[in-house]
Amino acid sequence: YAAMGIMFSVDDANVEVTDEEQKILDDFFNSLDWDTVDSDPKVAEVPYGNLMMLVNMKDRWVYKVSVTTPPCAQYVYWNVLRTIYPLRQSVLDKFKNQLKRTPGLDQTGNWREI
């Protein structure tokens, strides 16, 4: 198994993007279903192909770790890109609103204790 980590920042992106590349980023985030409140949501297919073609896959950290759900036996290769891509404030606000849907997550974040 493999996982991809792409970093985004409203203020501290370390790459300039063209208008065309910004449209790819905008289209990706606009494709997410931000308004679903169903307790058992059916997630639509997310069109991330153009986003993956945009990102710099050559400059990354790779490490092998176990998954975080019991029994934690399966390994996952994490690929974390070093490039930090720009994120619009409106998108960050949507992510923050998602955290508010679960009591306390907007204060603590989405993490697990070791």
Side-chain angles (χ1 to χ4, degrees), residues 26-61:
D26 291 343
D27 288 349
F28 172 75
F29 287 113
N30 289 334
S31 74
L32 302 178
D33 187 3
W34 297 101
D35 299 321
T36 298
V37 294
D38 189 345
S39 63
D40 186 24
K42 304 296 183 233
V43 179
E45 184 175 317
V46 177
Y48 61 90
N50 288 336
L51 176 66
M52 296 309 293
M53 295 301 292
L54 167 76
V55 298
N56 180 3
M57 295 290 292
K58 294 180 181 176
D59 191 15
R60 66 183 187 217
W61 295 285

Side-chain angles (χ1 to χ4, degrees), residues 8-86:
F8 296 92
S9 178
V10 172
D11 300 319
D12 295 321
N14 63 10
V15 65
E16 294 282 330
V17 295
T18 66
D19 289 342
E20 182 179 315
E21 291 168 331
Q22 185 62 58
K23 182 178 181 336
I24 291 171
L25 294 170
D26 291 343
D27 288 349
F28 172 75
F29 287 113
N30 289 334
S31 74
L32 302 178
D33 187 3
W34 297 101
D35 299 321
T36 298
V37 294
D38 189 345
S39 63
D40 186 24
K42 304 296 183 233
V43 179
E45 184 175 317
V46 177
Y48 61 90
N50 288 336
L51 176 66
M52 296 309 293
M53 295 301 292
L54 167 76
V55 298
N56 180 3
M57 295 290 292
K58 294 180 181 176
D59 191 15
R60 66 183 187 217
W61 295 285
V62 178
Y63 55 97
K64 181 179 176 183
V65 296
S66 64
V67 295
T68 59
T69 53
C72 303
Q74 181 68 44
Y75 283 103
V76 174
Y77 286 92
W78 268 96
N79 296 268
V80 180
L81 304 184
R82 294 179 191 213
T83 305
I84 303 171
Y85 293 90

